[in-house]
Amino acid sequence: MSKRQRRAKKTRPAQSQPSSLAERLVGRLASPWIPVLFFALLSIVYFAGFVFTGDVVFGNDTGTEFHKGKEPFLEKLAQVQPANWSRYMGGTPESAGLRAQYFPLHIVALFTSEHRYFGWRYVFGMFCAGYFTFLFVRAMGCHSLSALLVGTAFASAPTILTFTFAGQFAKMSAMTLFPLQAWGLYRGLETRRWPYFLATAAGIGAAIYTPQVQIVYFSLWGLGLIFLFRTTALYRKEQNINAALFRTLLCASAICLGLAIGAEGVFPQWYNNQNTKRAAEARAEGGMEFAVSWALHPEEIASLVIPEFGHFDIPPNKRAYWGRNAFKLNTEYFGLVIVFFAVLALGQIRKDPRVLLFLVLFLFATAFSLGTHTPLYELFYHIVPGVKSLRVPGMIAFLFAFSACALAALSLDRILQESPPKHPRLLVGAGIGTAVLFFTFLAPEAVFSIWTTLFWSDIPAQKNQIAQTNFTHLQQGAILGGLMVIAIAALIWRRIQGRISSLSFILALLLITLVDTWRIDKQFLITLDPDRFPARERINANAVRFLKADPDFFRVLLIPPERQSPLYGIDLIYGFNDFSLQRYDAILKSQGFLLATQLKAPQNEPYIQRFLPILTLMNTKYIVSRTPLSIPGLSEPTQLDGFHIYKNPNALPWFYLAPQYKVEKDPDRVLGFLANPQLNPSRIALLEREPGIKFSGNTGTDGQIEQLAYDARQGYIELKTKASEPRILVISENHHPNWHAYVDGKEQPLIRANYLWKAVALPPGEHHVELRYHDPIVAFCRWITLLGTAVLIGGGIVWIVQNKRGREPDHA
């Protein structure tokens, strides 16, 4: 026996017989509650600045209305019932809106402020990411320590947690539910037990209500690949076609049940999307060019190794990103430990079919995220339903992060199970990686020059300048990465030699992982004391009080935009809503309107003057500006809170009776007529179809309207009208096919009037007019959601009963 063999013989027993303490700690992981407590504690510690204080987590998209959501409990409970309609932006169909209030954690929102609720969503999301990734790795048959490390890596991955600064809690929540879906599917395919597929369905349904449906769409792609590869592998092993068909049936049932649970949160939105601004943008902005906006680029892929390579914009407002998108408030980085072990797993691609599965998933997600840099995206754009209407293909990054974690788990398991990789491969791979990282540290200019020569020869000067100033950050990331590679390789070597226990090996890697991910995550995790910010009721309170003193319904043109000078509780002409109606959005994007709102006085005055007929049509009773305006026809200003408030005395009312009409079927010509200051829309309504009743030549000027009821949330308007001649009743809200008009109890056609609004033709005399909003798609989908949820709950009850009787399914 050689000297080396004798030394190995002495050291191997120490590896296979760890200390009693280590044995007990590892054995504890078999308890179902220990991983739950570990990942709950990890999530709480990560967000300790939020959990143990009254602070909130700041996010750009969630704004600074930190006191929002402090209404009484019963008032908030009433808001859980979805609204049908909103006066916002001319009127928007809320029935087709997203269903965030159906998310299971929404019950927390009933007892706290909105931003505190968002913070708990982040905590819950991190827990789900870690715990269900742990279960998934265990379902693959891997060691519990491997599952613990990989679960921690995915839970703390900047790929997910950097969405906090952007305020995109919905994206983060949907991404963190993917491990639950994947675990249920993987374990279900292995065991053919239906409760696991029930878990997949629950994960899909919950993810729909996050509400980030695009992430769910990408998740279904990932689940599809897992299903295809695992079902094929199991069939080749068993040679049982009936078992393969049964697995297919269970998988299809899980997907259908998940979509049924989420039916109200996805199908009405998809159906009504054709009338929204987003659909119009997809058609108007060049098809694929619009769809690939915010794709990833080669610089982001290189940043998976050194996150400071292409970098990101450092919160709160330091520009450091020099990639090809306009800006970057997150990173796709998921940690160098995962990258190292994922690469190490590739050596088993011929022996382990699971390696091929997750390699294909990683490559697929990466290629799709790169948009037009690869042919895959163009192929999907033309043949896969739904891709044309989506944006931000880079959002699929969570799939390649998850697949990399799965690959890392497989190689970690080999090391823990005494099947280490060959020494030469490990040394060569670690050596090459370290050399590249240290070269980047020593010569960042040369690395940048090589990169731009190969991948971006026409880099703009501004981007080039940002990259040059980024070299210090790049060097820091490179040296830190090089040291981590050396440390990881050394740990593996000691583990292979039997000089370190499995528990010590994983704990050391766990420390490296958390240090590596936290150094990125902490830059995006910003907590603020909400008490330092005034309640929205106190912001511009005098101006808001003045406007609310007007008893009529009206809209306000606010200059500059709302984020800079908010008027809370006031109906503004403009705002932000992906599902605003196309015609209303077209007016907001017209050149005259944009120049009127974006330029400062006096440069904007000619455009406001020219656009005034449209503003009058849009029921703009007040124009509120930070600077004085000189616009003929407006009243003398009232000055409050630094605003100059001008009244437009010619603004059309919310409801009015037009004695004449003109039919013009071309929408563009209608808009041209309305921009003419000589046209009086209160006298002549421009219709796009015949009203269905005859108008006499004697039009008259009389006409009365009494408002009996108005409930925008429920979508109900009740009026009493009186006129001696036929009239066109115009309601200054967006026309939408879900509105129905009833005159004296009988349904009458609802007509589009004056390009935007809805109208009803009325014969002479007194009339009782009702307008009711009803969305048949929502009504149908609500029943499907209730049925799907009932099946899920019923299945859960059956599963619990089976457990009590000793017939529980196998655990991961």
Coordinates of all heavy atoms in Angstrom, one line a residue, residues 497-567:
Q497 N -10.3 15.2 0.1 CA -9.3 14.6 0.8 C -9.7 14.0 2.2 O -9.0 13.4 2.9 CB -8.1 15.6 1.1 CG -7.4 16.0 -0.2 CD -6.7 14.8 -0.9 OE1 -6.0 14.1 -0.2 NE2 -7.0 14.7 -2.2
G498 N -11.0 14.3 2.6 CA -11.5 13.9 3.8 C -11.1 14.6 5.0 O -11.2 14.2 6.2
R499 N -10.6 15.9 4.8 CA -10.1 16.7 5.9 C -11.1 17.6 6.5 O -10.8 18.4 7.4 CB -8.9 17.4 5.5 CG -7.7 16.5 5.0 CD -6.5 17.3 4.5 NE -5.5 16.5 4.0 CZ -4.3 16.9 3.5 NH1 -4.1 18.2 3.4 NH2 -3.4 16.0 3.1
I500 N -12.3 17.6 6.0 CA -13.4 18.5 6.5 C -14.7 17.7 6.4 O -15.0 17.0 5.4 CB -13.4 19.8 5.7 CG1 -14.4 20.8 6.2 CG2 -13.7 19.5 4.2 CD1 -14.4 22.1 5.6
S501 N -15.5 17.9 7.4 CA -16.8 17.2 7.5 C -17.8 17.8 6.5 O -17.6 18.9 6.1 CB -17.4 17.2 8.9 OG -17.8 18.5 9.2
S502 N -18.8 17.0 6.2 CA -19.8 17.6 5.3 C -20.5 18.8 5.8 O -20.8 19.8 5.1 CB -20.8 16.5 5.0 OG -21.5 16.1 6.2
L503 N -20.7 18.8 7.2 CA -21.4 20.0 7.8 C -20.5 21.2 7.7 O -20.9 22.3 7.4 CB -21.7 19.6 9.2 CG -22.4 20.8 10.0 CD1 -23.7 21.1 9.4 CD2 -22.6 20.3 11.5
S504 N -19.2 21.1 8.0 CA -18.3 22.2 8.0 C -18.1 22.7 6.5 O -18.1 23.9 6.3 CB -16.9 21.8 8.5 OG -17.0 21.4 9.9
F505 N -18.1 21.8 5.6 CA -18.0 22.1 4.2 C -19.2 23.0 3.7 O -19.0 24.1 3.1 CB -18.0 20.8 3.4 CG -18.0 21.0 1.9 CD1 -16.9 21.6 1.2 CD2 -19.1 20.6 1.1 CE1 -17.0 21.8 -0.2 CE2 -19.1 20.7 -0.2 CZ -18.0 21.3 -0.9
I506 N -20.4 22.6 4.1 CA -21.6 23.3 3.7 C -21.7 24.7 4.5 O -22.0 25.7 3.9 CB -22.8 22.5 3.9 CG1 -22.9 21.3 3.0 CG2 -24.1 23.3 3.8 CD1 -22.9 21.7 1.5
L507 N -21.3 24.7 5.7 CA -21.4 25.9 6.5 C -20.4 26.9 5.9 O -20.8 28.1 5.9 CB -21.1 25.6 8.0 CG -22.2 24.9 8.8 CD1 -21.7 24.6 10.2 CD2 -23.5 25.7 8.8
A508 N -19.2 26.5 5.5 CA -18.3 27.5 4.9 C -18.8 28.0 3.6 O -18.8 29.2 3.3 CB -16.9 26.8 4.7
L509 N -19.4 27.1 2.8 CA -20.0 27.6 1.5 C -21.2 28.5 1.8 O -21.5 29.4 1.0 CB -20.4 26.4 0.7 CG -19.3 25.5 0.1 CD1 -19.9 24.3 -0.6 CD2 -18.5 26.4 -0.9
L510 N -22.0 28.2 2.8 CA -23.1 29.0 3.2 C -22.7 30.4 3.5 O -23.3 31.4 3.1 CB -23.9 28.4 4.4 CG -25.3 28.8 4.6 CD1 -26.2 28.4 3.5 CD2 -25.8 28.1 5.9
L511 N -21.6 30.5 4.3 CA -21.1 31.8 4.6 C -20.6 32.6 3.4 O -20.9 33.8 3.3 CB -19.9 31.7 5.6 CG -19.2 33.0 6.1 CD1 -20.2 33.8 6.8 CD2 -18.0 32.6 6.9
I512 N -19.9 31.9 2.5 CA -19.5 32.6 1.3 C -20.7 33.1 0.5 O -20.7 34.2 -0.1 CB -18.6 31.7 0.4 CG1 -17.3 31.3 1.2 CG2 -18.3 32.3 -0.9 CD1 -16.4 30.3 0.5
T513 N -21.7 32.2 0.4 CA -22.9 32.6 -0.4 C -23.6 33.8 0.1 O -23.9 34.7 -0.6 CB -23.9 31.4 -0.4 OG1 -23.2 30.2 -1.1 CG2 -25.2 31.7 -1.1
L514 N -23.8 33.8 1.5 CA -24.5 34.9 2.0 C -23.7 36.2 2.0 O -24.3 37.3 1.7 CB -24.9 34.6 3.5 CG -26.0 33.6 3.7 CD1 -26.1 33.2 5.1 CD2 -27.3 34.0 3.1
V515 N -22.4 36.1 2.1 CA -21.6 37.3 2.0 C -21.6 37.9 0.6 O -21.8 39.1 0.3 CB -20.1 37.0 2.4 CG1 -19.2 38.2 2.0 CG2 -20.0 36.8 3.9
D516 N -21.6 36.9 -0.4 CA -21.6 37.3 -1.8 C -22.9 37.9 -2.2 O -22.9 38.9 -2.9 CB -21.3 36.0 -2.7 CG -21.1 36.3 -4.1 OD1 -20.8 37.5 -4.5 OD2 -21.4 35.5 -4.9
T517 N -24.0 37.3 -1.8 CA -25.3 37.8 -2.3 C -25.7 39.1 -1.5 O -26.3 40.0 -2.0 CB -26.4 36.8 -2.1 OG1 -26.4 36.3 -0.8 CG2 -26.2 35.6 -3.1
W518 N -25.4 39.1 -0.2 CA -25.7 40.3 0.6 C -25.0 41.6 0.2 O -25.6 42.7 0.2 CB -25.4 40.0 2.1 CG -25.7 41.2 3.0 CD1 -24.8 42.0 3.6 CD2 -27.0 41.8 3.3 NE1 -25.4 43.0 4.4 CE2 -26.7 42.9 4.2 CE3 -28.3 41.5 2.9 CZ2 -27.7 43.7 4.6 CZ3 -29.3 42.3 3.4 CH2 -29.0 43.4 4.2
R519 N -23.8 41.4 -0.3 CA -23.1 42.6 -0.8 C -23.8 43.3 -1.9 O -23.7 44.5 -2.1 CB -21.6 42.3 -1.2 CG -21.5 41.5 -2.5 CD -20.1 41.1 -2.7 NE -19.9 40.4 -4.0 CZ -19.6 40.9 -5.1 NH1 -19.4 42.3 -5.2 NH2 -19.5 40.2 -6.3
I520 N -24.6 42.6 -2.7 CA -25.4 43.1 -3.7 C -26.8 43.5 -3.2 O -27.3 44.6 -3.4 CB -25.5 42.2 -4.9 CG1 -24.1 41.7 -5.4 CG2 -26.3 42.8 -6.1 CD1 -23.3 42.8 -6.0
D521 N -27.4 42.6 -2.5 CA -28.8 42.8 -2.1 C -28.9 44.1 -1.2 O -29.9 44.8 -1.3 CB -29.3 41.6 -1.3 CG -29.4 40.4 -2.1 OD1 -29.6 40.5 -3.3 OD2 -29.4 39.2 -1.6
K522 N -27.9 44.3 -0.3 CA -28.1 45.4 0.7 C -28.1 46.7 0.0 O -28.7 47.7 0.5 CB -26.9 45.4 1.6 CG -25.5 45.7 1.0 CD -24.4 45.7 2.0 CE -23.1 46.0 1.4 NZ -22.0 46.0 2.4
Q523 N -27.6 46.9 -1.2 CA -27.6 48.1 -1.9 C -29.1 48.5 -2.4 O -29.4 49.6 -2.6 CB -26.7 48.1 -3.1 CG -25.2 47.9 -2.8 CD -24.3 47.8 -4.0 OE1 -24.1 48.8 -4.7 NE2 -23.8 46.6 -4.2
F524 N -29.9 47.4 -2.6 CA -31.2 47.6 -3.1 C -32.3 47.6 -2.0 O -33.5 47.9 -2.3 CB -31.6 46.5 -4.1 CG -30.7 46.6 -5.4 CD1 -29.5 46.0 -5.4 CD2 -31.2 47.3 -6.5 CE1 -28.7 46.1 -6.6 CE2 -30.5 47.4 -7.6 CZ -29.2 46.8 -7.7
L525 N -31.9 47.2 -0.8 CA -32.8 47.1 0.3 C -32.8 48.4 1.1 O -31.9 48.5 2.0 CB -32.5 45.9 1.2 CG -33.5 45.5 2.3 CD1 -34.9 45.4 1.8 CD2 -33.0 44.3 3.0
I526 N -33.7 49.3 0.9 CA -33.7 50.6 1.5 C -35.0 50.7 2.4 O -36.1 50.6 1.8 CB -33.6 51.7 0.5 CG1 -32.3 51.6 -0.3 CG2 -33.7 53.1 1.2 CD1 -32.2 52.7 -1.4
T527 N -34.8 50.9 3.7 CA -36.0 51.1 4.5 C -36.0 52.6 4.9 O -35.0 53.2 5.1 CB -35.9 50.2 5.8 OG1 -34.7 50.5 6.5 CG2 -35.9 48.8 5.4
L528 N -37.3 53.1 5.1 CA -37.5 54.4 5.4 C -38.6 54.5 6.5 O -39.4 53.7 6.6 CB -38.0 55.2 4.2 CG -37.1 55.3 3.0 CD1 -37.9 56.0 1.9 CD2 -35.8 56.1 3.3
D529 N -38.4 55.5 7.4 CA -39.4 55.8 8.4 C -40.6 56.5 7.8 O -40.5 57.7 7.4 CB -38.8 56.6 9.5 CG -39.8 56.9 10.7 OD1 -40.9 56.5 10.6 OD2 -39.3 57.6 11.6
P530 N -41.8 55.9 7.7 CA -42.9 56.6 7.1 C -43.4 57.9 7.8 O -44.0 58.8 7.1 CB -44.0 55.5 7.1 CG -43.6 54.6 8.2 CD -42.2 54.6 8.2
D531 N -43.0 58.0 9.1 CA -43.5 59.2 9.8 C -42.7 60.4 9.4 O -43.1 61.5 9.7 CB -43.3 58.9 11.3 CG -44.3 57.9 11.8 OD1 -45.3 57.7 11.2 OD2 -43.9 57.2 12.8
R532 N -41.6 60.2 8.6 CA -40.9 61.4 8.1 C -41.5 62.0 6.9 O -41.1 63.1 6.4 CB -39.4 61.0 7.8 CG -38.6 60.6 9.0 CD -37.3 60.0 8.6 NE -36.6 60.9 7.6 CZ -35.6 60.6 6.9 NH1 -35.1 59.3 6.9 NH2 -35.0 61.5 6.1
F533 N -42.5 61.3 6.4 CA -43.2 61.8 5.2 C -44.6 62.2 5.6 O -45.3 61.4 6.3 CB -43.2 60.7 4.1 CG -41.9 60.3 3.6 CD1 -41.1 59.4 4.3 CD2 -41.4 60.8 2.4 CE1 -39.8 59.1 3.9 CE2 -40.1 60.5 2.0 CZ -39.3 59.6 2.7
P534 N -45.1 63.3 5.1 CA -46.5 63.7 5.4 C -47.5 62.8 4.8 O -47.3 62.2 3.7 CB -46.5 65.1 4.8 CG -45.6 65.1 3.7 CD -44.4 64.2 4.1
A535 N -48.6 62.7 5.5 CA -49.8 61.9 5.0 C -50.3 62.7 3.7 O -50.2 63.9 3.6 CB -50.9 61.8 6.0
R536 N -50.8 61.9 2.8 CA -51.2 62.5 1.5 C -52.3 63.6 1.7 O -52.4 64.5 0.9 CB -51.6 61.5 0.5 CG -52.8 60.7 0.9 CD -53.1 59.6 -0.1 NE -54.3 58.8 0.2 CZ -54.8 57.9 -0.6 NH1 -54.3 57.7 -1.8 NH2 -55.8 57.2 -0.2
E537 N -53.0 63.5 2.8 CA -54.1 64.5 3.0 C -53.5 65.8 3.3 O -54.2 66.9 3.2 CB -55.0 64.0 4.2 CG -55.8 62.8 3.9 CD -55.0 61.5 4.0 OE1 -53.9 61.6 4.5 OE2 -55.6 60.4 3.7
R538 N -52.2 65.9 3.8 CA -51.6 67.1 4.1 C -50.8 67.7 3.0 O -50.2 68.8 3.1 CB -50.6 66.9 5.3 CG -51.4 66.5 6.6 CD -50.5 66.0 7.7 NE -49.3 66.8 7.8 CZ -48.2 66.4 8.5 NH1 -48.1 65.2 9.0 NH2 -47.1 67.2 8.6
I539 N -50.6 67.0 1.9 CA -49.9 67.5 0.7 C -50.8 68.4 -0.1 O -51.8 67.9 -0.6 CB -49.3 66.3 -0.1 CG1 -48.4 65.5 0.8 CG2 -48.5 66.8 -1.3 CD1 -47.8 64.2 0.1
N540 N -50.4 69.6 -0.3 CA -51.2 70.6 -1.1 C -52.6 70.6 -0.6 O -53.6 70.7 -1.4 CB -51.1 70.2 -2.6 CG -49.7 70.2 -3.1 OD1 -48.9 71.1 -2.7 ND2 -49.4 69.3 -4.0
A541 N -52.8 70.6 0.7 CA -54.1 70.4 1.3 C -55.0 71.6 0.9 O -56.2 71.4 0.7 CB -54.0 70.3 2.8
N542 N -54.5 72.8 0.9 CA -55.4 73.9 0.6 C -55.9 73.9 -0.9 O -57.1 74.2 -1.1 CB -54.6 75.2 0.8 CG -54.3 75.4 2.3 OD1 -55.1 75.2 3.1 ND2 -53.0 75.8 2.5
A543 N -55.0 73.5 -1.8 CA -55.4 73.4 -3.2 C -56.5 72.3 -3.4 O -57.5 72.5 -4.1 CB -54.2 73.2 -4.1
V544 N -56.2 71.2 -2.7 CA -57.2 70.0 -2.8 C -58.5 70.4 -2.2 O -59.6 70.1 -2.8 CB -56.6 68.8 -2.1 CG1 -57.6 67.7 -2.0 CG2 -55.4 68.3 -2.9
R545 N -58.5 71.1 -1.1 CA -59.7 71.5 -0.4 C -60.5 72.5 -1.3 O -61.8 72.4 -1.4 CB -59.4 72.2 0.9 CG -60.6 72.4 1.8 CD -60.3 73.0 3.1 NE -59.3 72.2 3.8 CZ -58.0 72.6 4.0 NH1 -57.6 73.8 3.6 NH2 -57.2 71.8 4.7
F546 N -59.8 73.4 -2.0 CA -60.5 74.3 -2.9 C -61.2 73.6 -4.0 O -62.3 73.9 -4.4 CB -59.4 75.3 -3.4 CG -60.0 76.2 -4.5 CD1 -60.7 77.4 -4.2 CD2 -59.8 75.9 -5.8 CE1 -61.2 78.2 -5.2 CE2 -60.2 76.8 -6.8 CZ -61.0 77.9 -6.5
L547 N -60.5 72.7 -4.6 CA -61.0 71.9 -5.8 C -62.2 71.1 -5.4 O -63.2 70.9 -6.1 CB -59.9 71.1 -6.5 CG -58.8 71.9 -7.2 CD1 -57.7 71.0 -7.5 CD2 -59.4 72.6 -8.4
K548 N -62.1 70.4 -4.2 CA -63.2 69.5 -3.8 C -64.4 70.3 -3.3 O -65.5 69.7 -3.2 CB -62.7 68.7 -2.6 CG -61.8 67.5 -3.0 CD -61.5 66.6 -1.9 CE -60.7 65.4 -2.4 NZ -60.4 64.4 -1.3
A549 N -64.3 71.6 -3.1 CA -65.4 72.4 -2.7 C -66.4 72.6 -3.9 O -67.6 72.9 -3.7 CB -65.0 73.8 -2.2
D550 N -65.9 72.3 -5.1 CA -66.8 72.4 -6.3 C -67.6 71.1 -6.3 O -67.1 70.0 -6.3 CB -65.9 72.5 -7.6 CG -66.8 72.8 -8.8 OD1 -67.9 72.2 -8.9 OD2 -66.3 73.5 -9.7
P551 N -69.0 71.2 -6.3 CA -69.8 70.0 -6.1 C -69.9 69.2 -7.4 O -70.4 68.1 -7.3 CB -71.2 70.6 -5.7 CG -71.1 72.0 -6.3 CD -69.7 72.5 -6.3
D552 N -69.5 69.8 -8.5 CA -69.7 69.0 -9.8 C -68.6 68.0 -10.0 O -67.5 68.1 -9.4 CB -69.7 70.0 -11.0 CG -70.8 71.0 -10.9 OD1 -71.9 70.6 -10.4 OD2 -70.7 72.1 -11.4
F553 N -68.8 67.1 -10.9 CA -67.8 66.2 -11.4 C -67.0 67.0 -12.4 O -67.5 67.6 -13.3 CB -68.4 64.9 -12.1 CG -69.0 64.0 -11.1 CD1 -69.9 63.0 -11.6 CD2 -68.7 64.0 -9.8 CE1 -70.5 62.1 -10.7 CE2 -69.3 63.1 -8.9 CZ -70.2 62.2 -9.4
F554 N -65.6 66.8 -12.4 CA -64.8 67.5 -13.3 C -63.4 66.9 -13.3 O -63.1 66.0 -12.5 CB -64.7 69.0 -13.0 CG -64.1 69.3 -11.6 CD1 -62.8 69.3 -11.4 CD2 -65.0 69.4 -10.5 CE1 -62.3 69.5 -10.1 CE2 -64.5 69.6 -9.2 CZ -63.1 69.7 -9.0
R555 N -62.6 67.3 -14.3 CA -61.2 66.9 -14.4 C -60.3 68.1 -14.3 O -60.7 69.2 -14.6 CB -61.0 66.0 -15.6 CG -61.8 64.8 -15.7 CD -61.5 63.9 -16.9 NE -62.3 62.7 -16.9 CZ -63.5 62.5 -17.4 NH1 -64.0 63.6 -18.1 NH2 -64.1 61.4 -17.4
V556 N -59.0 67.8 -14.0 CA -58.0 68.8 -13.8 C -56.8 68.5 -14.6 O -56.4 67.4 -14.7 CB -57.6 68.9 -12.3 CG1 -56.4 69.9 -12.1 CG2 -58.8 69.4 -11.4
L557 N -56.3 69.5 -15.3 CA -55.0 69.4 -16.0 C -54.0 70.0 -15.0 O -54.0 71.2 -14.7 CB -55.0 70.2 -17.3 CG -53.7 70.3 -18.0 CD1 -53.2 68.9 -18.4 CD2 -53.7 71.2 -19.2
L558 N -53.1 69.1 -14.6 CA -52.0 69.5 -13.6 C -50.7 69.6 -14.3 O -50.2 68.7 -15.0 CB -52.0 68.5 -12.5 CG -50.9 68.7 -11.4 CD1 -51.1 70.1 -10.7 CD2 -50.9 67.6 -10.4
I559 N -50.1 70.8 -14.2 CA -48.8 71.0 -14.8 C -47.8 71.5 -13.7 O -48.1 72.5 -13.1 CB -48.9 72.1 -15.9 CG1 -50.0 71.8 -16.9 CG2 -47.5 72.3 -16.6 CD1 -50.3 72.9 -17.9
P560 N -46.7 70.8 -13.5 CA -46.1 69.6 -14.2 C -46.8 68.3 -13.7 O -47.8 68.4 -12.9 CB -44.7 69.7 -13.8 CG -44.7 70.3 -12.4 CD -45.8 71.3 -12.5
P561 N -46.3 67.1 -14.1 CA -46.9 65.9 -13.8 C -47.1 65.6 -12.3 O -46.5 66.2 -11.5 CB -46.0 64.8 -14.4 CG -45.3 65.6 -15.5 CD -45.1 67.0 -15.0
E562 N -48.0 64.7 -12.0 CA -48.5 64.4 -10.7 C -47.4 64.0 -9.7 O -47.4 64.4 -8.5 CB -49.5 63.3 -10.7 CG -50.2 63.0 -9.4 CD -51.1 61.8 -9.5 OE1 -51.2 61.2 -10.5 OE2 -51.8 61.6 -8.5
R563 N -46.4 63.2 -10.1 CA -45.4 62.8 -9.2 C -44.6 64.0 -8.6 O -44.2 63.9 -7.4 CB -44.4 61.9 -9.9 CG -44.8 60.4 -9.9 CD -43.7 59.6 -10.6 NE -44.1 58.2 -10.6 CZ -43.7 57.3 -9.6 NH1 -43.0 57.7 -8.6 NH2 -44.1 56.0 -9.7
Q564 N -44.5 65.1 -9.3 CA -43.8 66.2 -8.8 C -44.8 67.1 -8.0 O -44.3 67.8 -7.1 CB -43.2 67.1 -10.0 CG -42.3 66.2 -10.8 CD -41.9 67.0 -12.1 OE1 -42.3 68.1 -12.4 NE2 -41.0 66.3 -12.9
S565 N -46.0 67.2 -8.3 CA -47.0 68.0 -7.6 C -48.3 67.3 -7.4 O -49.3 67.6 -8.1 CB -47.2 69.3 -8.4 OG -46.0 69.9 -8.8
P566 N -48.4 66.4 -6.5 CA -49.6 65.5 -6.4 C -50.8 66.3 -5.9 O -50.6 67.2 -5.0 CB -49.2 64.4 -5.5 CG -48.0 65.0 -4.7 CD -47.3 65.9 -5.6
L567 N -51.9 66.0 -6.4 CA -53.2 66.5 -5.9 C -54.1 65.2 -5.6 O -54.8 64.8 -6.4 CB -53.9 67.4 -6.9 CG -53.3 68.7 -7.2 CD1 -54.0 69.4 -8.3 CD2 -53.2 69.6 -6.0

